[in-house]
Amino acid sequence: MRKFSVCILTAAVALSAIFSGCIPQSGGDLQPLAAPQSESSGWRVLGPGGGGAQFEPTISPADPSLVFVRCDMTGAYVSENAGESWRMFNLRTVVQDFEFDPNDPNVVYASNSGLYRSEDRGKRWRLIYPDPANVTAELMLGDHAGQRFVTRDGGPGGQIARVRVEPANSDHLYLGVSARGGQGGGGSRILYSPDRGANWKELASLEGRVLAIFPGSWIGKADELTVITDRAAARLGIDSGDIEELSLPAETVLAADGGKGETGSILYLLTGGMGMGREDRTPGRIYRSTDFGKSWSFADESLISGMETGGRPASFSTLAVCAGHPETVYLSCRAYPVVLNGFPQRQSGILKTDNSGESWNWTITICGGEVTSGTFNGGWIKRNLGWFGSPSELGVCPSDPNICYGTDSGRTWRTLNGGITWDQVVSREFPDGDAASRGLDVTTCYGIHLDPFNKDHFFITYTDIGLFHTFNGGRTWRHSIVGIPNQWRNTCYWLEFDPAVKGRIWSVWANVHDLPRPKMFRSGNLVNGRQQGGVAASGDGGRNWGLSTVGVMEDGEYKHAMRTAAVCTHIVIDTDSPVESRTLYVCDFGYGVWKSGDAGRTWEVKNKGLKDNFNCWRMVRLPGGRLILLVARGGVEGGTVIGGALYTSDDGAESWQSLALPLGVTAPNDLVYDPSDPDRMYLSCWPLNAGGGAVRGEPQPARVVEGDQLEVGRRETGGGLFRTEDGGKSWKQVFHEDMHVYAAAVDPANTNTVFINTFNSAAFRSADRGETWKRLGGYNFKWGHRPVVDTNNLGMLFLTTFGGSVYYGPAEGVAGAFEDIENLPAQRW
């Protein structure tokens, strides 16, 4: 056992502040809670708005106030008032593209693993490819429950990266379908439908991922189209089947766009430099074609000639063209060499041309994260976190070149005046610094934490944006990061109120987000001293924080100290310990368990009895004092899965004993107990693909789902929900083992009632301790996290999500609520 004492150092707020408390109140004019996600769903989304990466801003050519945006966390969003408010909708997985029908202002398409059409401006959607009648199953496989359809004809699946409606005939549709996985590594197929999606044929297979499809009717050849991928270009004959390869001016293309105006069509390419987070030494260049891709010329010579010489070349992220006025192009620049105040700098921002690239003008410039020219209202994200850079994607209104939207890692922003001013459109801001969502929420959250002394005060623990709380029941939100080091602020995994002292709270933080998903094991932040995080304490309801883990080892060495190198994911208070010297337990992911017997002033490692895997994720303290520790499943080493584990301790974490997992389980994710009978517990489990490697440790054979005829590699095992009635000596599976169940909750007012949330586009309620289940109508977010019963409002429930903030609605769901898709194939539930 490794045991160290940690000596506390003074932080921004003295730790003694936790023994006094004054909870502040929010000022400012209050706005209503966010609008329901659909007219009949009964669910609302809570939060400050924004917070995660957004993409694909798409504006209606007929009505510039109608705008679509998507994120990478499965939600899609529509605004009917130019971004003043948004409604989230869900189409089973991450949307890749939006496309308006240029001949019908009510029709819009969205694509991902399927193609969906709406004929009422995005209110209701129908799956048109694959044909629902051809779908035999819907699979959700892998750690992120990746969704795809299985069809009778054995279609290859994949992601529909691009959709195009033929302007000359809206019955004609074109799709660019990337190989399964969606990145185009296995090439792309170009599909064509002559009858609005009823039938399809393949026109060609091209290398790379499709960036743009240009209709031949732009040049009077409706039987042709030009397709550009990130590695190839071709002119395709729709009826003839001819394929004419076109030359590209560079080996790799980052972006392609174009349009047709009064003087004809113009196509543009962006190459080199930086794109999608990658940078090389190749100068970023912009090319223009006026002969539909047969030849290309530079469209950036004025930009290149104006650059300062030396250093790295310019890097551009993306460009967007006004389809009806293609002489207007907006360009996102990540780095442009300049000299400011006598020193070489790399400036970013947005450039614009109104003459097809003959000259370019900056609409906004950024240096060192600050605006150096132009006007930008960045909202709470800029003010509190300092996030500001060039947009990752841009979208221009096809009929009005003055309207452009940009998206970045936390916001969607817009200009309505050609770039003179830019404003974020994810949050409403208030004079006291509070914010309220406009409905565009893109955030992962772990819990809702209710203040036992104030029913209107509660917190959301977030990935990427740290911690927020509300003092008015969720109408407005305030960042709770004062005193938290910048290196910690990425993720607040959990917090606990002291039930005996008003305003006293402990919270845990880390710079590694999205745990326990194994993708983070590959990020590199869990090894080589890159970890940052620890424990913080507040005595004033979260307005200010002091660090409970800033300290040194007794021998003066920092290795293994919690200090700023602990990825802390959970904290538990021993509420039976003395109020003035609370006993605390903390999970340190990858290292073990820490214990403090003096309210966080000093800490000791408590790992005696823990085996190879130290991915300590969550801990539960039962009313009698027993501790149960959940260790998360590790990554894959040489085809071997590092299984998770359960441990118990009856001596305050001085020693740990193994508690057997249910047969076949490798990834315990969460544990809750029945307050009326603590021996009754519910274990939420993450499945493992049946085609995976062996599990390290004792054999754990996969369970077989009765009647499941899917071959190995297409079936998930060891997931679902398990119940024990004897404190973990035996377990009964009470929910499907192929379901990705993140967490459960027991209703304290009626302990027969249990809730679960899943990564499978659904949350469920059981009124008989898990024997039977009913899906919660109206909620269909793909990646669900934790259900939390609202003990202050009878019959209401919070559902935290991986990418959609917090849903709030009726604990029984809404029977018959419309859920975005009219003709979804029958589901197993």
Side-chain angles (χ1 to χ4, degrees), residues 437-659:
S437 175
R438 299 189 188 198
L440 209 169
D441 296 88
V442 189
T443 43
T444 292
C445 45
Y446 300 93
I448 283 279
H449 310 271
L450 307 177
D451 189 335
F453 296 94
N454 181 352
K455 66 179 180 62
D456 292 324
H457 180 224
F458 48 92
F459 287 81
I460 305 176
T461 42
Y462 277 118
T463 269
D464 290 335
I465 60 174
L467 182 63
F468 273 84
H469 57 161
T470 177
F471 292 97
N472 49 45
R475 289 179 173 81
T476 64
W477 294 86
R478 179 174 303 179
H479 225 160
S480 180
I481 56 174
V482 176
I484 302 298
N486 289 336
Q487 300 92 330
W488 293 18
R489 289 181 178 180
N490 180 273
T491 299
C492 182
Y493 276 105
W494 201 254
L495 66 79
E496 288 288 343
F497 288 90
D498 190 320
V501 182
K502 183 179 181 180
R504 184 195 286 180
I505 314 169
W506 285 273
S507 57
V508 288
W509 302 74
N511 68 334
V512 181
H513 64 202
D514 292 353
L515 292 172
R517 303 282 66 80
K519 71 171 186 176
M520 300 316 301
F521 303 166
R522 301 186 292 273
S523 70
N525 282 342
L526 283 170
V527 296
N528 300 326
R530 297 180 184 177
Q531 305 96 324
Q532 297 285 330
V535 181
S538 175
D540 60 5
R543 172 173 279 182
N544 298 284
W545 294 93
L547 305 187
S548 178
T549 56
V550 173
V552 297
M553 309 298 286
E554 284 185 339
D555 59 6
E557 294 183 6
Y558 288 138
K559 66 177 182 178
H560 304 307
M562 282 184 70
R563 192 174 175 264
T564 57
V567 177
C568 297
T569 58
H570 200 222
I571 186 166
V572 170
I573 303 173
D574 179 353
T575 53
D576 295 329
S577 60
V579 172
E580 67 277 6
S581 57
R582 288 296 200 194
T583 295
L584 308 173
Y585 302 94
V586 169
C587 292
D588 183 348
F589 200 92
Y591 182 71
V593 174
W594 294 86
K595 178 181 179 180
S596 173
D598 53 13
R601 293 180 179 88
T602 60
W603 295 87
E604 294 179 334
V605 178
K606 300 293 182 181
N607 286 350
K608 182 180 179 180
L610 301 185
K611 298 179 182 178
D612 294 339
N613 185 351
F614 288 88
N615 292 335
C616 297
W617 167 237
R618 293 191 60 79
M619 189 185 301
V620 174
R621 183 179 181 273
L622 300 179
R626 166 171 279 199
L627 299 173
I628 302 181
L629 174 67
L630 278 74
V631 177
R633 182 169 67 202
V636 175
E637 297 177 355
T640 299
V641 177
I642 305 169
L646 290 179
Y647 294 92
T648 64
S649 176
D650 292 307
D651 55 10
E654 294 301 319
S655 62
W656 295 97
Q657 294 76 43
S658 293
L659 180 65

Side-chain angles (χ1 to χ4, degrees), residues 28 97 101 105 152 168 170 236 259 322 424 459 462 464 484 551 593 598 635 688 693 742 751 808 812 814:
D97 192 26
D101 185 332
R152 288 187 175 85
S170 294
L236 307 181
C322 178
Q424 63 84 21
F459 287 81
Y462 277 118
D464 290 335
I484 302 298
V593 174
D598 53 13
L688 180 69
Y742 184 91
T751 58
Y808 183 64
E812 294 194 7
V814 180

Side-chain angles (χ1 to χ4, degrees), residues 92 140 735 739-740 756-764 775-776 779-785 799 819 829:
R92 309 305 285 172
M140 296 186 183
F735 200 74
M739 294 287 281
H740 300 71
I756 57 173
N757 203 1
T758 77
F759 258 40
N760 296 70
S761 296
F764 298 85
R775 191 171 67 83
L776 297 181
Y779 168 84
N780 67 332
F781 189 81
K782 177 68 171 71
W783 289 338
H785 263 183
L799 294 170
E819 296 174 352
W829 49 77

Side-chain angles (χ1 to χ4, degrees), residues 41-101:
S41 76
W43 294 91
R44 291 171 164 82
V45 175
L46 308 179
Q54 293 143 60
F55 303 92
E56 212 65 39
T58 306
I59 310 159
S60 167
D63 179 3
S65 64
L66 181 61
V67 187
F68 288 83
V69 171
R70 61 95 170 177
C71 72
D72 59 351
M73 306 294 283
T74 74
Y77 310 83
V78 58
S79 174
E80 297 195 67
N81 51 19
E84 293 303 309
S85 63
W86 301 83
R87 177 180 59 83
M88 187 194 304
F89 60 96
N90 295 280
L91 300 180
R92 309 305 285 172
T93 188
V94 176
V95 169
Q96 301 293 318
D97 192 26
F98 297 107
E99 167 79 353
F100 283 97
D101 185 332

